Amino acid sequence: MTGVALEPVSVVIAGCGAVTKLFYAPALAHLEDCGLVKVAALVDPHDSNRRTIQSHFHEAIGVAKLDHAPLGKGTLVIIASPPGLHAAQSIHALERGATVLCEKPMAATSAETQSMLDATVRTGQFLAIGHYKRFMPAHRAVKHFIVHQTFGSLWEIEIAEGGKFGWPATSDSFFRKEQTSGGVLLDIGVHVLDLLLWWLGEPTTFTYADDARDGLEANCLLTAEFPQRGLTDMSPVSIRVQLSRDWATPNCYVFRFERATVHCRVNASNQLELTLDGLPMTFAAELRDPLPPQPAPSTSALETNAQAFIAQLVDVCAAIREHRAPLITGEDGARVIRWIERCYATRKSIQQPWLAPIASCI
């Protein structure tokens, strides 16, 4: 029935650390103002974390454990706790009848991701994963270029992302092996690998090296080959991914097509740089709504980074109302974790010439 106001989706946030402070809290506050959601509860074992987020949501209750939160059919539970808690908390929420949006990485291991997928089948509830970068207009444009061969076949992608670790983490879980199963690859690489799988499908071959030694990796290098979309008789697409937590990088994705090169800057959600073959200049463009074929005023810019984050929340809320799957599902998240596990299982040591050989103790 048109014209009838819908009740806002009740939201429970599990985890009130940095990702909630920087992303989920402002996004949900905006969606509350729009009448789309109502934050009902904040879950975190630390009172100070809950109080910080409650400044955005005065009517939300604060509890230390997810067991004490109001869950049920139609509730959206956002799992934004450390990765080691994702599986258990997601399964608990699903079994209470809630829909779950689990922040990346989906879980610490592929076995845990499978237990989460099994819970969706058992309960009939759905699970979304926080790979919001798929909603960025620049990344959607790249997908279009690849699928429709706008500039001919894609030949290679070179990705360099990261720098000195500066995330305002509220705990040391990023660096404790008992709380997370990986370092930079599992942290920022999970978005990169999700985008590659979305753009290109499954890789045919890959090699992986990092500097983990007995700890968690701060630097890694991944090379891979992907088949050309629908073409078996052409050279594969070559991929090189460099990620770092302590070395400055260009923070750029470069796509080399037959007739053009595209630069996509990290987190520049609605911007691309395009160099057409033979043209001695580069277009640096803000992505906007399409113009009509006749002369017309300028159109509006497409989503920023923050708006892309909001777009995923809007999609999940729509999925709840429309009884459909979200655009980014649990299986999407599980594919990424499976690839990361394969990387760790076949890891080689990255070259570190500044380290002296370990002297023999014999």
Side-chain angles (χ1 to χ4, degrees), residues 196-218:
L196 289 173
L197 292 169
W198 180 51
W199 286 326
L200 299 170
E202 294 288 337
T204 51
T205 62
F206 70 89
T207 63
Y208 173 78
D210 67 26
D211 59 359
R213 296 206 168 198
D214 294 326
L216 298 171
E217 77 280 0

Side-chain angles (χ1 to χ4, degrees), residues 237-283:
V237 183
S238 298
I239 312 296
R240 186 181 189 276
V241 178
Q242 173 197 350
L243 305 172
S244 180
R245 273 182 172 167
D246 59 7
W247 286 79
T249 74
N251 278 304
C252 184
Y253 301 2
V254 180
F255 304 84
R256 297 184 178 94
F257 295 88
E258 283 183 88
R259 300 189 296 273
T261 299
V262 176
H263 285 68
C264 183
R265 305 291 172 178
V266 172
N267 292 331
S269 179
N270 61 3
Q271 298 175 30
L272 287 175
E273 294 159 79
L274 170 66
T275 304
L276 298 173
D277 282 5
L279 189 70
M281 60 192 68
T282 291
F283 296 99

Side-chain angles (χ1 to χ4, degrees), residues 3 17 46 72 74 83-84 97 104 137-138 147 157 166 183 187 199 208 229 234 236 242 250 253 269 298 300 316 336:
H46 303 289
K104 65 82 186 170
V147 172
I157 303 175
D187 181 19
W199 286 326
Y208 173 78
R229 280 188 168 268
M234 290 188 63
Q242 173 197 350
Y253 301 2
S269 179
S298 296
S300 299
V316 175
V336 183

